[in-house]
Amino acid sequence: NYLLAIINVQENKDDLAFNHYIESKKLFKSIDSVDKVAKINIEIVSLLLAINRNKVDYKKFLKEYNDYAEQKKDPKILTEFYIQIGKSFYDTIPKMALEYFKKAEKENLKTDDEITHVRILQNIGATFSHDRINKIDSALYSYQKALKILGKNQKNSNQQKITGFFFNIYSSTLLA
């Protein structure tokens, strides 16, 4: 079921993916695989946040992951938790999203995970450039930090995304 969920996500079959995740979660719970259940919860949250007009409340899954993260006290797990909360507030309360992305960055700096740090900086940059915040200089600064990190690893495909975001923001400030 878990592999089917992942395949369905890749094929944009969100309803099927959700159902497979739920079934997988039940199976992993039955064998006391707490780590896998937590991973499934955060994947469900990501899926539900990505679905337009989603009617399923993701907060239950986020709370379960939060309980797991607090119990583990692992910076990587807490980082992912804060990223997902930030994403959940991005459209409705971007300033709150920014707070959670900064918490994610603080936790992430306790690790050596540069790729996740770049993801966080992308989210921070996007949030600073949100209509309700509109701090283009801060967005550019976040993207520059991300580019600096990615400069160490030229093979990283995220560099192209960051460069595109950076260029778009920079271009829009020149045209304004």
Side-chain angles (χ1 to χ4, degrees):
N1 277 326
Y2 181 70
L3 293 177
L4 288 173
I6 293 171
I7 291 167
N8 290 145
V9 167
Q10 296 298 317
E11 294 176 350
N12 292 319
K13 297 177 181 175
D14 299 328
D15 290 336
L16 286 173
F18 177 75
N19 291 333
H20 286 297
Y21 276 135
I22 295 300
E23 289 303 313
S24 297
K25 184 177 167 183
K26 288 177 189 173
L27 291 171
F28 284 111
K29 263 186 173 178
S30 72
I31 60 171
D32 288 331
S33 182
V34 177
D35 293 339
K36 196 64 172 177
V37 169
K39 182 172 176 38
I40 291 170
N41 277 329
I42 208 68
E43 290 174 3
I44 289 172
V45 169
S46 294
L47 175 69
L48 293 175
L49 288 172
I51 299 172
N52 287 332
R53 292 183 224 115
N54 169 42
K55 300 204 186 313
V56 178
D57 188 6
Y58 63 89
K59 292 175 186 144
K60 169 189 164 196
F61 303 103
L62 198 58
K63 173 155 180 11
E64 287 179 23
Y65 189 84
N66 178 39
D67 294 345
Y68 169 80
E70 287 178 357
Q71 175 193 8
K72 288 288 187 176
K73 294 183 176 32
D74 179 340
K76 287 185 178 187
I77 293 170
L78 288 167
T79 297
E80 193 60 35
F81 172 68
Y82 290 134
I83 290 170
Q84 293 306 324
I85 292 178
K87 285 178 172 180
S88 72
F89 285 116
Y90 177 79
D91 287 326
T92 55
I93 312 170
K95 286 183 181 181
M96 182 83 71
L98 197 53
E99 288 177 32
Y100 281 107
F101 291 140
K102 288 180 178 181
K103 286 181 180 185
E105 183 178 26
K106 183 179 176 182
E107 285 298 323
N108 179 258
L109 290 174
K110 298 175 186 174
T111 73
D112 61 353
D113 187 350
E114 291 183 334
I115 298 303
T116 299
H117 192 193
V118 168
R119 276 182 49 220
I120 295 165
L121 290 169
Q122 283 177 301
N123 284 316
I124 290 172
T127 307
F128 272 129
S129 63
H130 191 285
D131 296 4
R132 295 186 195 156
I133 295 178
N134 202 25
K135 291 188 177 179
I136 302 302
D137 289 343
S138 296
L140 287 171
Y141 178 74
S142 293
Y143 294 136
Q144 285 173 329
K145 278 177 61 175
L147 282 171
K148 187 174 180 181
I149 293 168
L150 288 171
K152 297 175 191 175
N153 182 1
Q154 295 296 326
K155 295 178 184 175
N156 193 309
S157 66
N158 280 334
Q159 187 167 9
Q160 292 175 338
K161 284 186 196 174
I162 293 286
T163 305
F165 287 136
F166 181 85
F167 180 77
N168 289 338
I169 298 247
Y170 181 74
S171 298
S172 68
T173 59
L174 292 178
L175 298 174

